[in-house]
Amino acid sequence: GMTGKQFVIKRTNQALGSILTVDTTSSQTIDGVTTTTLNTQYEQIMVISDGSNWQLLSRTFNNKSTSFTPTVVGLGTISGSSFSWRRVGNAMEILASFTSGTPTATTVQFPLPTGVTVGVAGTKIVGHGGVSRTAPDAVQIIATNGESFLKASANNSSVSGNVAGIGTTFPGGTAMSFSALIEISGWN
């Protein structure tokens, strides 16, 4: 008997790819499953024993914004960049602003912070943004399951929907910004 016994388990490691797996003994479960994971720094769970299994009382995580510096593909050397992410439930919110360099004929890609991959079903639009010049004046942010980057699509008459755009769709020296909310694979 451990009936009524409570534990708080907290992850302190800041590396996104370093997942802490919480496991039980024998055939016990945590809310009906054999394991659960803590995926982000300062994420914690509180569990209580009912004598046979463990019940999850709470799951909390730090939702403070963290800056990161992705190597953007397709838009040349960007400048004046500000990229940040924060956890929102099982998703990552990304806020970005930058000025594009000389674009190339390559699909525009924004790498996610190291250690995470997209967990959406298929391919879908996960964010929107804008540019400082005309044609295009809006940007759609696209995520595909299993990838470690986002793609951009110009929202204009020639390109729209879930089709990633190439860098030359966007004029060089253009101030751009976007926000996106992306489900992350493995986040509870």
Side-chain angles (χ1 to χ4, degrees):
M2 302 260 314
T3 302
K5 184 73 172 176
Q6 293 184 25
F7 287 101
V8 174
I9 303 150
K10 183 175 186 176
R11 178 180 166 211
T12 57
N13 184 326
Q14 73 182 55
L16 282 174
S18 178
I19 297 169
L20 173 64
T21 300
V22 180
D23 200 353
T24 62
T25 59
S26 305
S27 60
Q28 297 176 9
T29 61
I30 303 169
D31 270 3
V33 295
T34 57
T35 64
T36 190
T37 58
L38 303 179
N39 301 284
T40 53
Q41 187 176 30
Y42 306 126
E43 181 176 357
Q44 71 179 27
I45 59 171
M46 180 184 292
V47 294
I48 187 169
S49 175
D50 64 12
S52 300
N53 293 294
W54 296 90
Q55 305 306 315
L56 186 63
L57 295 177
S58 66
R59 177 183 298 272
T60 59
F61 47 85
N62 179 4
N63 65 359
K64 180 181 172 187
S65 291
T66 301
S67 63
F68 71 107
T69 307
T71 302
V72 176
V73 174
L75 295 174
T77 302
I78 65 171
S79 61
S81 67
S82 172
F83 283 80
S84 66
W85 73 270
R86 72 182 185 108
R87 181 154 179 190
V88 180
N90 68 343
M92 176 181 284
E93 177 185 56
I94 294 181
L95 302 175
S97 65
F98 57 92
T99 299
S100 64
T102 303
T104 62
T106 306
T107 300
V108 176
Q109 296 180 2
F110 302 101
L112 296 172
T114 302
V116 296
T117 57
V118 174
V120 302
T123 297
K124 72 182 210 179
I125 296 171
V126 295
H128 299 277
V131 298
S132 65
R133 297 189 180 176
T134 59
D137 60 1
V139 176
Q140 295 174 326
I141 303 301
I142 302 166
T144 300
N145 188 50
E147 293 183 342
S148 59
F149 54 87
L150 303 174
K151 296 174 286 250
S153 171
N155 189 12
N156 61 26
S157 60
S158 64
V159 181
S160 64
N162 290 9
V163 179
I166 59 172
T168 53
T169 307
F170 303 95
T174 301
M176 302 174 75
S177 63
F178 70 83
S179 65
L181 187 63
I182 311 101
E183 292 174 41
I184 299 298
S185 180
W187 283 12
N188 301 308

